[in-house]
Amino acid sequence: MTINPANADLVIVGAGLFGLTVAQQAAEHAGVRVLIIDVRDHIGGNAYSYFDKETGIEIHKYGAHLFHTSNRRVWEYVNRFTEFTDYVHRVYATHDGEVYPLPINLGTINQFFRAHYTPAEARALVERQAGEHAHGIARNLDEQGKKLIGQPLYEAFIKNYTAKQWQTDPAELPASIIRRLPVRFNYDNRYFKDTWEGLPKNGYTAWFERMIADPRIEVKLGVDFFDESQPLNRRTLAEAGVPVVYTGPIDRYFDYELGELKWRTVDFKERRYDEDDHFGCPVMNYSDADVPYTRAIEFKNFNPERAESYAPGKTVVWEEYSRFARRGDEPYYPINTDEDKSIYDQYRTKAQLEPNTVFGGRLGTYQYYDMHQVIDTALTAYVEEVAPLLNRW
């Protein structure tokens, strides 16, 4: 008889949104015992947040996370575990000492050109300023930006910001990165265009805790899946035949034997101000090359409804710096060069041959996902992959 070292019917590696969703579904629909392990000291993956002791402000530990979706299945699912505020995300950008609304819209255009263009006039202006790029095929990001919004707006708001974000000349980046760069010929400066949008009323961590409140779900933190000195490791679980959902980096799972997949990561520098409000908005982009960070986040402005609970005269701002990730860094954005795609395809083929293991989440599939996309893929993966695996188990 095979011994199950986890004493569970399903082990999930990674307590991010993919893993939490699969765990919740498995306990609810299959009635199985689920064990979630994570090398970090918290649940929620990169969406984890905590409340700052000094100020009472909710801090998003891995950068701003904003929930939005047009997927009714996802919206109905998440509302089982949290209520959402009526927050609507709007972004502003500082360029040459002046603040503009983003995405680029009629207000941005008229402010930038000191004009009062109508929508039709602004559209014609942008097309003229696209010049030779207007109807050609863009060979790189630089040409694609000029094609979409014209050279002056592109150079003011996109070129230097993108160069900082990718640490690469935009002329050397693929056009696909900004294939659908939004520009609106009206005064709508709502950042997302999804049907539903908001922030969890009691914070992200409270939401995630409710997802796994079922007594059949257990969480063990600070557990490294690749550390064979502890029992819940890859080799031991594979030998025991325990079904596993793996949400870590797919190249790490195979010990990088086909090469390393490349990612971008983000560093944060915290600043505390003795002010009630430093920016007057939650997110300020910095479009100019002489500012080393891409944007700054003032967390208290995500939740103005909590104003009475904040320490007066205090605010917390995080500056965001982008760079290439090294092994051991937190991977944020897949770089997805042709070489990366080829390496991932080879890993995916190997993953399909792994018995009793389902790969998921952004790290396990080398994809950039918003939160609602992670949840949607997890709900599908449970039905199509995890449930059949549990039935066999």
Side-chain angles (χ1 to χ4, degrees):
M1 178 179 176
T2 304
I3 302 299
N4 178 358
N7 194 32
D9 303 303
L10 175 66
V11 175
I12 295 177
V13 182
L17 266 174
F18 189 96
L20 298 180
T21 302
V22 170
Q24 187 279 324
Q25 291 284 283
E28 178 176 83
H29 295 295
V32 297
R33 297 165 299 174
V34 183
L35 175 64
I36 304 172
I37 63 173
D38 199 298
V39 71
R40 292 173 170 176
D41 62 357
H42 60 75
I43 64 172
N46 280 12
Y48 167 74
S49 68
Y50 62 92
F51 286 87
D52 180 62
K53 291 182 180 179
E54 179 190 9
T55 63
I57 296 168
E58 183 182 1
I59 305 292
H60 303 186
K61 183 173 180 176
Y62 302 93
H65 277 71
L66 310 163
F67 193 82
H68 56 96
T69 187
S70 294
N71 185 321
R72 180 174 293 278
R73 174 174 76 155
V74 170
W75 183 243
E76 291 177 352
Y77 178 74
V78 298
N79 274 271
R80 294 177 54 188
F81 309 105
T82 182
E83 293 182 75
F84 286 86
T85 69
D86 59 2
Y87 175 80
V88 174
H89 191 47
R90 292 183 170 88
V91 173
Y92 296 86
T94 296
H95 164 64
D96 200 20
E98 192 167 344
V99 175
Y100 296 83
L102 290 181
I104 291 169
N105 59 73
L106 193 56
T108 317
I109 294 168
N110 279 331
Q111 182 181 347
F112 185 77
F113 292 107
R114 299 296 189 265
H116 48 85
Y117 294 117
T118 65
E121 290 169 339
R123 193 182 299 273
L125 172 72
V126 166
E127 186 166 344
R128 288 196 306 273
Q129 292 179 339
E132 62 180 307
H133 303 290
H135 304 292
I137 297 175
R139 295 169 297 180
N140 53 55
L141 187 151
D142 196 71
E143 293 182 359
Q144 180 71 4
K146 294 171 184 175
K147 176 179 180 176
L148 291 174
I149 58 175
Q151 184 166 343
L153 290 168
Y154 164 74
E155 292 187 345
F157 296 106
I158 307 300
K159 182 177 181 177
N160 292 320
Y161 185 94
T162 302
K164 289 188 290 185
Q165 189 174 33
W166 290 89
Q167 291 177 298
T168 304
D169 186 330
E172 298 176 8
L173 292 169
S176 59
I177 291 177
I178 57 166
R179 185 70 72 190
R180 293 184 177 88
L181 181 68
V183 56
R184 300 173 186 161
F185 296 101
N186 56 34
Y187 290 97
D188 177 13
N189 70 332
R190 180 185 172 193
Y191 195 79
F192 303 117
K193 301 199 79 173
D194 283 303
T195 306
W196 299 286
E197 179 178 359
L199 295 168
K201 280 192 174 180
N202 296 315
Y204 279 103
T205 300
W207 165 13
F208 302 149
E209 288 172 345
R210 289 198 64 184
M211 288 181 71
I212 54 172
D214 191 303
R216 291 167 292 197
I217 300 174
E218 181 183 0
V219 179
K220 290 183 180 294
L221 300 175
V223 176
D224 184 350
F225 181 60
F226 300 101
D227 178 6
E228 294 195 356
S229 70
Q230 57 84 31
L232 301 171
N233 62 73
R234 176 192 165 185
R235 182 181 58 80
T236 302
L237 292 172
E239 290 174 352
V242 183
V244 171
V245 174
Y246 176 78
T247 70
I250 191 170
D251 52 354
R252 176 68 183 92
Y253 184 92
F254 294 105
D255 200 25
Y256 308 106
E257 63 184 59
L258 301 173
E260 291 190 45
L261 296 168
K262 295 189 290 296
W263 293 80
R264 302 286 298 168
T265 191
V266 178
D267 296 320
F268 300 99
K269 181 178 291 185
E270 181 177 280
R271 306 219 182 255
R272 292 177 179 255
Y273 297 96
D274 293 328
E275 305 172 26
D276 282 318
D277 196 347
H278 187 69
F279 287 121
C281 64
V283 177
M284 181 67 72
N285 284 10
Y286 287 87
S287 304
D288 300 329
D290 60 351
V291 179
Y293 45 93
T294 53
R295 63 179 183 172
I297 305 163
E298 186 167 9
F299 291 103
K300 72 186 307 181
N301 288 328
F302 286 131
N303 297 98
E305 76 281 359
R306 298 177 184 162
E308 291 186 0
S309 68
Y310 295 146
K314 301 283 185 182
T315 192
V316 180
V317 170
W318 280 19
E319 298 166 354
E320 189 170 306
Y321 299 78
S322 179
R323 62 175 172 83
F324 289 104
R326 298 181 294 270
R327 191 183 293 189
D329 287 330
E330 297 291 350
Y332 277 72
Y333 308 105
I335 294 179
N336 259 331
T337 63
D338 289 341
E339 180 186 7
D340 288 315
K341 292 174 184 176
S342 175
I343 292 173
Y344 170 67
D345 285 341
Q346 296 175 65
Y347 278 127
R348 181 174 59 181
T349 299
K350 289 178 68 68
Q352 290 168 347
L353 301 175
E354 283 290 297
N356 303 322
T357 303
V358 173
F359 291 75
R362 62 187 182 87
L363 301 180
T365 59
Y366 195 60
Q367 297 285 330
Y368 177 74
Y369 287 130
D370 286 329
M371 286 183 286
H372 68 284
Q373 295 169 318
V374 174
I375 293 168
D376 189 49
T377 58
L379 291 171
T380 298
Y382 174 74
V383 173
E384 296 182 356
E385 299 179 80
V386 180
L389 187 60
L390 290 172
N391 286 338
R392 292 196 298 271
W393 169 253

